[in-house]
Structures are given as structure tokens and as C-alpha cells.
């Protein structure tokens, strides 16, 4: 049974402007996305910067309120729960952020920030809080005696480990990993990724793993959602992305694959032409402005995300 | 929270600023003096006591012969009438008692002094006659000898009290100026603390919760800041006229607190608007903490550098405005403050006597200067982009 079911998730951010600061439009960050995540599964989300990956992740764990759509967590519809009813689910769903600097409060020691969460949810009896913290530190590869330090005394990689420890502190079963390594030095990216995957196996976690790097997704994920301009354009297994990718956008991402050069700006720009602004998305297929296979129908109608073969869904008129 | 702030990078930068550390030392000296005064080092009554003749200059000043002749006359008359009424044992001139001699001896000495004094009295311009100046010195020495010598601590105290001269009622300028340090620091501290806290709470709530709270706070501070500070203060202080609080510190506290919260409020609101988008705030939300807890625990402590800066700016503002309001007769009454001293010295300045205004402005300048340096250094170290 799937742990999470997302139904028709939509998020429009209001855009304000003018002298009176009125709402002058909206950013279509996420446009009717539906999918499931099975227990113990690692679901990847890939796409260029600004396509709505982070927004989607935050919508699922309700860091952002959705415009419409539902999230079912372990059979419960959580999108409309009040603060207190939401608390047990908050404990079960955590997030690891991209930026290891802004994701830790500079005024709290590691001990203080872990303790705060553990005590709030009564994860362990008060007498065991300290030893629980020590265990967490060891789990993420930090020395327990480093716990009384402030975030600025750690390196980027270490800070990301602290972020992981904070997420794990509540014994969650689902974690959103929002580009957890893309702000780190290439040399330590692999360490942190391996740590996450080891912890995933050890603790039986379910992951939503966001990345703009298909290589990483292919390596670590079971399934992948390819996002473009707030839409899921393809959903498939990760076993053979190269062989099976059918959407022209996914194929373009694969074509631009050698992203391993550390000096290269790691934001992907895979295609000619600009991504249309999510402020005024094109009519019809979102990819229409850059697609090599474009046909007349693409300008008129949005292609639905349909199952082409088992477990493989594609949104494109040109794909049979 | 303060300890943690002291460990930060900004604090290190601040400590490397030598001028700022010196200024901090100056502020500490003022602080210690204020504390000693508050602990009873100078009682309020002492600031009203007569310590010597009126309007005498400080230790390194000089006065006109005309005034010296007048002062000698004043002394001799007072001593004479005390002797006539046989009150010489209780008689004190500004705390100094007469020497322990038989009455006849004293009467005789006063007589002799009068004789010399008479020679000076009718001359219009003593300064032009060197031989008369010698006589004037002699009269003064004789008068001094009529008083019991001040020994030990008493001597020290007398020197301290007359070090910067006396005002027109013979009260010690030193004592009044030093007592005013306590008043200034008290007003500065209470006003700056209250206004910073009020501004921080309003600004943080406005920035964090947005919506109607933000609208209300913005409306309040836009309205308030459209009125010039001094006018606003004068209006608010005037409300207290004819109440029991008139002339006390209460109208000053209330008016300045209601006027000064705007600065910290605006700055902290902006900072909270920025901070609340940061991921550690989202992390706290994802743990499930309530909004209020997040505001108090995760956001406000991260504005503490701005609170420090604003506190120190408001401290100066409060001291300056206390002086201005008091000078305009809208501030403190019945206790010395630099404002009352400057107010009183208006008449003296016309007569060419600058000791009182000099002492009050010099002490005020020292404190304001030091606070300005420290505020600037705080800003450079903790807020290089000058949010505030
Ligand atoms: N709080 C917000 N207010 C307005 N627009 C936003 C906000 N957050 C994200 N967006 C917009 O939504 C779109 C998707 O953003 P995001 O989910 O962060 O993309 P990604 O993580 O894929 O780079 C972007 O165009 C972004 O500008
Ligand atoms: S629907 Fe048309 S425009 Fe969109 S991806 Fe397919 S071929 Fe390209
Ligand atoms: Mg993102």
C-alpha cells in the first residue's frame, strides 16, 4: 500500500505589485500533480531550477498551504488538518533542506536544536534525551562531543549532517530531501548522499528525493517524476532511464548529461530557448516553446499524463 | 542570549575597534559613578546645600576684585551678626564653623578686618591700585583664619565640592553635575530599554504575522513618524501638567517611550520579514512548533544585534531630549539634571560666568560622544549594511 497519495496538487503564488500592493497575477508553481509513494520507496523528482520541485516537496509536508488538491498520508487526508491534529503527522514527516547555512538557527547549539524537537514530541523519556542525542550524532557521522557547538563552527558538509540529524530526531518514516547535496563541495557530495542512503536502509525510510541531476536520481532512486513548469511530464522506473525515457524533455535532460564537471554551474540548461515564465505559462503543452517534436495539437491542448506501459506515465501527444 | 552574541564574529570585530573599547570604558566609568550616586554616594539634599559663597569660579578660575570685595563684606556681616546675637557656636557658613576662640578675640579680629575692608569699599576700581590688591588678599586671609581649618576628609570634600565653583545660590556645581550623571543614565536606560522592547515586540509581531497586525503597526508608525520628535514629546509631556506627576520623571519616561519605539519597530519588522523566509524557520514549522513559539524562540533572538544598536541609539536620544525638555521647563523639576543646570545658567552666561554650563555640557558631551562611538561600532560590526 502506498504511504503517500498526492491528488491533483495545485499551488499558485499570488504576485503583488503596483502602488497599492494588490494581487496582479499568480505564479503557477505546481499545476495539478498526482502520484503515490510506496512505503520504503525513494521517489526522485528532477527538473530545471524553478520548475516547482521544492514547492511540491513543501506542499506534501504542509510547509506551504496548497491552493487545491489533497495529500493522503497513511490513509488520512492531511491537507485540511488543524495545527494540533497535524502534530502526529509532523513528527512522521521531516525535511532536509538544500542550504546548509540558512537551515540552521545560528543561535542554537546542535544540542539545543535537537533537544528542542525531541522534547517537544516526547520522543524519549526526559532522562534519555542526552543519550538519544549522542546516538543521533553518531548516526550522522559526527562526534557526540561536538554537540555543544554552534552551527558556524561546522563545515558545510557537517552542517548538512546536522540537518539530517534534526530530521531523524523525531524518528520519522518519510523525509523530503530537497537537493540535499547541491550546495556542497563536489568532493563531499558523495559522502553525504551515501550517508542518506545508508540511513534510509537502516531505518526503513521513505524518501522524496529532489535533485536537478538525473545521474544522482538514477543512482539512488526507485522511481522518478520529471517536472517541467509545475507539471509532471513523465513518471518512470529508474532502472533504465536512458533506455526508456520517452518524453522529449526527459530525453533532452539525458542528452545534456555530462554534468560532472565540478567547475560548471550545476544549474541545468539543457535546451535552446528560455523556460517560459510560470507567471504566464503557454497555452497547451508547457514544453511547446522548446520541443523538437512539436505538432499543431500541442499549441491547443495540454497532453494528459497517461500510462503508456506499466508504471510508466508520459504527458506528450507525440508519444504513442 | 547576550553571552552567545558576545561569542559571535560581530563581537570579535567590535572588540578589535580600539576607539570603541575606549568609549565603552568611558561609559563604564559613567555607569560606576551613577551606581555610586544611586547607592547613596550623593544624596538629593546635598545637591541643594550651600557649600560656599555664591557664583565662585572653579579651582583654576579667577574672579573680579569687585566680587571679592562684595564677598568679603557678606562674610564679615554674617559673622558679625552671629557674634552680636551670641550664636557664634552654632554659626556655620556653608558648613564651616568658626575657630574655637573666646568671643572677645573674634570680635576684635572682625573689627580689624572691617578696618582694612573700609579702605577698599569706596574705591571704584581696586584692580588699578596694586597696594589695594595686597590689602584685599589680606582681608581674605584674615576671614579665612576666622574659620576652623578643614582637615582630612573634610578638606578633601570641600575641595571636591568647590572644584567647579558654585551656582548663584552657593550650591556645588560639582555635586550637581555628578548627581545628574545618575539621572541621565537612569532616564537613558529606562527609556531605551522600554522603547526597544516595545518596538521589537510590535515590529516582530507585524513582520511575522502580517495581515491586519502588520497594517495596524505600519499605520501607527507612519502616523507617529510624520510628527517631529520634539513636538511629539512636548505634546505628550504637556498632558501631565497639573497632575501629581508634573515635574517628575514619569512624563519623560512615558513621552519618550511612546515616541522612540518607532525606530526599533521599523528595523526589527524588516529583519523579521527577511528571517521568516529562512529555512530554519521552516524546519521549526515542520517539527510542529506553534507560531508564537517560533517567533519568540527562533526569530527575535536573531534580531538581538539590532536590538543592541537601537538600544544604544535611543540611550543617547533619551539623554539629549531629557536635557532639551528640561531646558524648556517641561522636564524634571526639584532635582538637578544637566537640563536644569543649563536652564539656570542662562543668567550666569550673560554675566560671563561659564562654570555651570561648562560642567553640565562637558559631562553630557562625554557620555553622548562615547555612546555615539559605541553605536557606530556596533553598527559596523553587527549590521554592516546599515539596516537601521
Ligand atoms: N513563496 C513564494 N512566493 C512566490 N513565488 C514563489 C514562492 N516560492 C516559489 N515561488 C515560485 O514558484 C516557482 C517554483 O519554485 P521552486 O519550487 O522553488 O522551484 P525549484 O525548487 O524547482 O527550483 C518559481 O517560479 C518560484 O519563483
Ligand atoms: S506534447 Fe507536443 S510540445 Fe509537448 S512535449 Fe509532446 S510533442 Fe512536445
Ligand atoms: Mg528548489
Amino acid at each position: 500500500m502506498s504511504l503517500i497519495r498526492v491528488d491533483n496538487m495545485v499551488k499558485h503564488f499570488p504576485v503583488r505589485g503596483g502602488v497599492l500592493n494588490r494581487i496582479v497575477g499568480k505564479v503557477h508553481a505546481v499545476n495539478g500533480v498526482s502520484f503515490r509513494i510506496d512505503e520504503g520507496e525513494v521517489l526522485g523528482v528532477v527538473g530545471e531550477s524553478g520548475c516547482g520541485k521544492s514547492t511540491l516537496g513543501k506542499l506534501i509536508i504542509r510547509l506551504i498551504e496548497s491552493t487545491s488538491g489533497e495529500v493522503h498520508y497513511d490513509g488520512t487526508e492531511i491537507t485540511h488538518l488543524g495545527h494540533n491534529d497535524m502534530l502526529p503527522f509532523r513528527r512522521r514527516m521531516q525535511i532536509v533542506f538544500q542550504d546548509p547555512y540558512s537551515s540552521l538557527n545560528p543561535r542554537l547549539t546542535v544540542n539545543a536544536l535537537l533537544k528542542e524537537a525531541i522534547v517537544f514530541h516526547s520522543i524519549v523519556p526526559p532522562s534519555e534525551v542526552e543519550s538519544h542525542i549522542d546516538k543521533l550524532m553518531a548516526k550522522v557521522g559526527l562526534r557526540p562531543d561536538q554537540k555543544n557547538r554552534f552551527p558556524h563552527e561546522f563545515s558545510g558538509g557537517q552542517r548538512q549532517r546536522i540537518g539530517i540529524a534534526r530530521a531523524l530526531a523525531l524518528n520519522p518514516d518519510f523525509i523530503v530531501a530537497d537537493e540535499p547535496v547541491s550546495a556542497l563541495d563536489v568532493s563531499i557530495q558523495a559522502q553525504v548522499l551515501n550517508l542518506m542512503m545508508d540511513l534510509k536502509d537502516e531505518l526503513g525510510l521513505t524518501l522524496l528525493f529532489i535533485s536537478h541531476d538525473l545521474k544522482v536520481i538514477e543512482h539512488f532512486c526507485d522511481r522518478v517524476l520529471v517536472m517541467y513548469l509545475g507539471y509532471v511530464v513523465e513518471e518512470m522506473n529508474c532502472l533504465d532511464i536512458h533506455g526508456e525515457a520517452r518524453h522529449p524533455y526527459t530525453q533532452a535532460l539525458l542528452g545534456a548529461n555530462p554534468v560532472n564537471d565540478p567547475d560548471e554551474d550545476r544549474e541545468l540548461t539543457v535546451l535552446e530557448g528560455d523556460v517560459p515564465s510560470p507567471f504566464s505559462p503557454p497555452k497547451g503543452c508547457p514544453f511547446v516553446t522548446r520541443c523538437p517534436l512539436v505538432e499543431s495539437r500541442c499549441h491547443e491542448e495540454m497532453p494528459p499524463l497517461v500510462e503508456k506501459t506499466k508504471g510508466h506515465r508520459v504527458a506528450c501527444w507525440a508519444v504513442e | 542570549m547576550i553571552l552567545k552574541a558576545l561569542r559571535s564574529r560581530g563581537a570579535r570585530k567590535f572588540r578589535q575597534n580600539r576607539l570603541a573599547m575606549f568609549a565603552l570604558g568611558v561609559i563604564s566609568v559613567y555607569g560606576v559613578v551613577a551606581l555610586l550616586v544611586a547607592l547613596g554616594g550623593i544624596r538629593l539634599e546635598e545637591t541643594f546645600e550651600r557649600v560656599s559663597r555664591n557664583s565662585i569660579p572653579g579651582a583654576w578660575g579667577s574672579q573680579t576684585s569687585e566680587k571679592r570685595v562684595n564677598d568679603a563684606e557678606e562674610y564679615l556681616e554674617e559673622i558679625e551678626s552671629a557674634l552680636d546675637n551670641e550664636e557664634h557656636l552654632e554659626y556655620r557658613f556653608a558648613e564651616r564653623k568658626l575657630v574655637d576662640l573666646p568671643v572677645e578675640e573674634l570680635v576684635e579680629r572682625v573689627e580689624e578686618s572691617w578696618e582694612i575692608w573700609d579702605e577698599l569699599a569706596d574705591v571704584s576700581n581696586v584692580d588699578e591700585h596694586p597696594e589695594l590688591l595686597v590689602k584685599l588678599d589680606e582681608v581674605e586671609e584674615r576671614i579665612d583664619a576666622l574659620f576652623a581649618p578643614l582637615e582630612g576628609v573634610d578638606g578633601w570634600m570641600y575641595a571636591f565640592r568647590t572644584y567647579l565653583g558654585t551656582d548663584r545660590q552657593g550650591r556645588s556645581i560639582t555635586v550637581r553635575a555628578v548627581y545628574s550623571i545618575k539621572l541621565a543614565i537612569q532616564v537613558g536606560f529606562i527609556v531605551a530599554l522600554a522603547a526597544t522592547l516595545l518596538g521589537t515586540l510590535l515590529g516582530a509581531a507585524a513582520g511575522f504575522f502580517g495581515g491586519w497586525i502588520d497594517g495596524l503597526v505600519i499605520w501607527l508608525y507612519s502616523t507617529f513618524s510624520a510628527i517631529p520628535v520634539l513636538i511629539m514629546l512636548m505634546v505628550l509631556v504637556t498632558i501631565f501638567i497639573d497632575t501629581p506627576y508634573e515635574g517628575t520623571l514619569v512624563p519623560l519616561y512615558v513621552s519618550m517611550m511612546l515616541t522612540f519605539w518607532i525606530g526599533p519597530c521599523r528595523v526589527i519588522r524588516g529583519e523579521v520579514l527577511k528571517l521568516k523566509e529562512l529555512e530554519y524557520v521552516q524546519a521549526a514549522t515542520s517539527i510542529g512548533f506553534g507560531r508564537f513559539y517560533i517567533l519568540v524562540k527562533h526569530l527575535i533572538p536573531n534580531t538581538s544585534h539590532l536590538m543592541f544598536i537601537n538600544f544604544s541609539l535611543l540611550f543617547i536620544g533619551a539623554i539629549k531630549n531629557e536635557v532639551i525638555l528640561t531646558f524648556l521647563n517641561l522636564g524634571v523639576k526639584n532635582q538637578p539634571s544637566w537640563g536644569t543646570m543649563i536652564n539656570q545658567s542662562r543668567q550666569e552666561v550673560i554675566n560671563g560666568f561659564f562654570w555651570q554650563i561648562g560642567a553640565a555640557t562637558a559631562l553630557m558631551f562625554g557620555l553622548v560622544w562615547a555612546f555615539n562611538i559605541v553605536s557606530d561600532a556596533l553598527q559596523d560590526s553587527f549590521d554592516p549594511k546599515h539596516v537601521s
Side-chain angles (χ1 to χ4, degrees):
Chain A
M1 196 201 122
S2 37
L3 180 66
I4 293 169
R5 198 179 92 217
V6 177
D7 284 342
N8 221 347
M9 190 48 80
V10 176
K11 179 65 190 181
H12 294 166
F13 289 108
V15 177
R16 289 171 185 278
V19 212
L20 296 172
N21 206 24
R22 293 209 189 285
I23 296 173
V24 293
K26 45 195 180 181
V27 171
H28 301 245
V30 172
N31 285 309
V33 168
S34 305
F35 59 91
R36 289 159 183 259
I37 311 176
D38 287 335
E39 220 170 309
E41 187 183 29
V42 181
L43 176 64
V45 179
V46 73
E48 287 163 288
S49 171
C51 70
K53 306 182 295 294
S54 300
T55 306
L56 178 63
K58 289 174 186 172
L59 281 169
I60 297 173
I61 63 168
R62 282 191 66 196
L63 281 184
I64 300 177
E65 295 301 316
S66 60
T67 307
S68 68
E70 291 181 350
V71 176
H72 296 259
Y73 190 91
D74 208 1
T76 311
E77 202 276 298
I78 59 166
T79 354
H80 300 102
L81 292 182
H83 179 81
N84 287 336
D85 294 333
M86 188 65 200
L87 284 180
F89 294 98
R90 292 246 182 249
R91 185 196 68 69
R92 296 174 67 184
M93 310 188 289
Q94 284 296 301
I95 180 165
V96 176
F97 292 98
Q98 174 174 5
D99 183 350
Y101 290 90
S102 64
S103 60
L104 299 177
N105 184 341
R107 289 291 153 96
L108 294 183
T109 60
V110 180
N111 193 51
L113 72 89
L114 293 176
K115 192 171 183 171
E116 183 187 55
I118 294 166
V119 170
F120 182 73
H121 280 287
S122 313
I123 301 297
V124 291
S127 59
E128 290 167 30
V129 170
E130 293 298 321
S131 63
H132 186 65
I133 292 174
D134 291 348
K135 267 186 260 167
L136 276 170
M137 295 287 283
K139 231 179 223 168
V140 298
L142 294 168
R143 292 198 316 274
D145 62 283
Q146 292 173 311
K147 69 180 176 181
N148 289 318
R149 297 191 188 169
F150 286 91
H152 69 83
E153 297 172 69
F154 293 95
S155 69
Q158 288 174 319
R159 292 168 70 116
Q160 206 58 317
R161 287 169 192 268
I162 298 168
I164 295 169
R166 174 177 57 199
L168 294 179
L170 303 182
N171 296 333
D173 26 46
F174 172 62
I175 290 182
V176 174
D178 187 358
E179 311 206 32
V181 297
S182 54
L184 302 179
D185 269 7
V186 179
S187 54
I188 44 178
Q189 286 189 356
Q191 291 172 17
V192 174
L193 276 176
N194 288 329
L195 170 73
M196 287 201 75
M197 292 309 149
D198 290 347
L199 289 169
K200 183 237 152 215
D201 289 337
E202 184 188 333
L203 306 170
L205 298 170
T206 305
L207 282 184
L208 183 79
F209 188 90
I210 299 173
S211 175
H212 57 240
D213 187 344
L214 254 181
K215 263 245 162 80
V216 173
I217 296 266
E218 195 171 16
H219 199 259
F220 289 106
C221 300
D222 301 316
R223 246 168 356 111
V224 62
L225 302 177
V226 181
M227 282 187 79
Y228 189 79
L229 221 62
Y231 294 94
V232 170
V233 295
E234 183 159 19
E235 176 188 340
M236 63 194 294
N237 284 321
C238 283
L239 288 176
D240 184 15
I241 296 184
H242 278 268
E244 291 183 10
R246 301 194 60 189
H247 195 281
Y249 177 65
T250 316
Q251 283 169 343
L253 281 180
L254 287 167
N257 214 9
V259 225
N260 280 343
D261 182 355
D263 295 328
E264 196 120 335
D265 185 354
R266 268 168 281 125
E267 302 277 298
L268 283 186
T269 35
V270 288
L271 287 158
E272 308 257 313
D274 288 329
V275 192
S277 155
F279 183 52
S280 51
K283 195 166 163 248
C285 176
F287 195 48
V288 74
T289 53
R290 297 157 89 194
C291 183
L293 306 178
V294 62
E295 38 189 275
S296 60
R297 199 175 173 190
C298 307
H299 291 282
E300 303 304 323
E301 249 183 294
M302 167 73 205
L305 187 65
V306 289
E307 188 148 20
K308 303 287 174 178
T309 55
K310 185 158 172 28
H312 190 164
R313 298 193 295 163
V314 185
C316 176
W317 294 125
V319 175
E320 289 312 314
Chain B
M1 187 181 96
I2 291 169
L3 268 180
K4 284 173 195 167
L6 286 178
R7 261 182 257 161
S8 70
R9 257 165 270 178
R12 213 172 308 138
K13 196 170 161 198
F14 181 82
R15 280 199 299 268
Q16 281 160 2
N17 184 336
R18 287 213 184 160
L19 185 62
M21 289 313 283
F22 174 72
L24 208 58
V26 171
I27 294 174
S28 317
V29 171
Y30 274 93
V32 168
V33 172
L35 201 66
L36 290 178
V37 171
L39 292 174
I42 299 177
R43 285 168 294 111
L44 180 59
E45 305 91 77
E46 285 179 63
T47 64
F48 296 114
E49 274 164 14
R50 190 160 197 226
V51 297
S52 184
R53 286 158 294 132
N54 303 339
S55 302
I56 62 162
W60 64 95
S62 61
Q63 49 187 339
T64 61
S65 318
E66 196 186 345
K67 180 159 186 306
R68 290 167 66 192
V69 174
N70 283 341
D71 283 345
E73 181 182 16
E74 188 185 327
Y75 270 125
L76 288 172
E77 275 175 357
E78 275 201 29
I79 298 168
E80 194 164 45
S81 84
L83 291 171
D84 285 350
N85 302 324
E86 307 209 339
E87 285 170 352
H88 60 283
L89 290 178
E90 295 90 62
Y91 172 72
R92 302 277 186 283
F93 188 93
E95 296 290 294
R96 293 183 73 184
K97 52 183 180 185
L98 296 175
V99 279
D100 193 12
L101 285 175
V103 184
E104 304 78 43
E105 176 72 29
L106 287 172
V107 172
E108 194 175 314
R109 287 192 179 193
V110 171
E111 282 303 320
E112 284 164 18
S113 303
W114 271 132
E115 275 165 31
I116 308 171
W117 185 85
D118 284 339
E119 290 178 46
L120 304 164
D122 301 330
V123 185
S124 60
N125 213 337
V126 179
D127 288 318
E128 282 164 19
H129 307 278
E131 73 284 1
L132 289 181
L133 279 174
V134 177
K135 300 243 180 216
L136 181 53
D137 288 342
E138 195 191 335
V139 176
E140 285 180 339
E141 273 159 34
R142 281 169 175 272
I143 293 174
D144 204 46
L146 285 170
F147 290 100
L150 290 165
E151 277 158 359
V153 178
D154 286 343
W156 285 95
M157 285 306 288
Y158 184 78
F160 170 73
R161 289 192 175 123
T162 53
Y163 190 68
L164 297 173
T166 60
D167 67 5
R168 292 195 299 154
Q169 287 137 54
R171 302 179 300 193
S172 164
I173 290 175
T174 328
V175 168
R176 291 172 69 78
V178 170
Y179 186 90
S180 305
I181 293 177
K182 182 212 118 185
L183 191 93
I185 291 204
Q186 182 183 339
V187 170
F189 187 82
I190 291 178
V191 168
L193 189 71
T196 306
L197 288 180
L198 181 66
T200 299
L201 286 181
L202 287 176
F208 189 62
F209 295 114
W212 66 267
I213 301 182
D214 196 25
L216 180 71
V217 170
I218 292 180
W219 179 81
L220 271 178
Y221 76 55
S222 321
T223 312
F224 273 49
S225 56
I227 308 168
V229 171
L230 193 57
I231 306 243
M232 175 95 179
L233 289 173
M234 287 166 71
V235 170
L236 288 171
V237 165
T238 314
I239 295 172
F240 288 90
I241 286 179
D242 290 333
T243 69
Y245 297 112
E246 185 184 352
T248 66
L249 295 174
V250 174
L252 290 174
Y253 292 152
V254 173
S255 64
M256 289 201 251
M257 198 180 85
L258 289 180
T259 313
F260 289 174
W261 62 272
I262 293 166
C265 177
R266 178 177 283 157
V267 172
I268 301 273
R269 175 181 169 272
E271 183 73 2
V272 165
L273 274 180
K274 199 177 78 190
L275 291 178
K276 77 171 180 181
E277 299 298 330
L278 290 184
E279 288 167 340
Y280 66 76
V281 178
Q282 296 183 18
T285 308
S286 88
I287 288 168
F289 296 126
R291 307 261 287 155
F292 192 73
Y293 177 88
I294 293 176
L295 177 63
V296 172
K297 183 79 189 285
H298 290 269
L299 284 167
I300 292 181
N302 279 298
T303 64
S304 63
H305 60 296
L306 297 176
M307 290 165 68
F308 276 128
I309 294 168
N310 273 280
F311 177 85
S312 131
L313 290 171
L314 293 186
F315 204 107
I316 307 173
I319 290 174
K320 287 202 279 203
N321 282 291
E322 180 273 313
V323 170
I324 293 169
L325 287 171
T326 304
F327 179 77
L328 296 173
N329 278 325
L330 291 167
V332 284
K333 298 195 172 88
N334 307 322
Q335 57 179 314
S337 91
W338 294 327
T340 19
M341 292 179 73
I342 293 172
N343 190 357
Q344 281 179 3
S345 57
R346 278 187 283 193
Q347 203 57 44
E348 300 170 348
V349 169
I350 296 170
N351 296 330
F353 183 86
F354 292 99
W355 288 91
Q356 172 146 259
I357 196 168
T361 46
L363 280 183
M364 180 174 144
F365 174 81
L367 187 57
V368 170
W369 171 86
F371 257 104
N372 269 327
I373 298 288
V374 168
S375 306
D376 277 358
L378 281 175
Q379 220 146 14
D380 284 349
S381 320
F382 290 97
D383 182 23
K385 277 172 265 155
H386 278 246
V387 184
S388 45

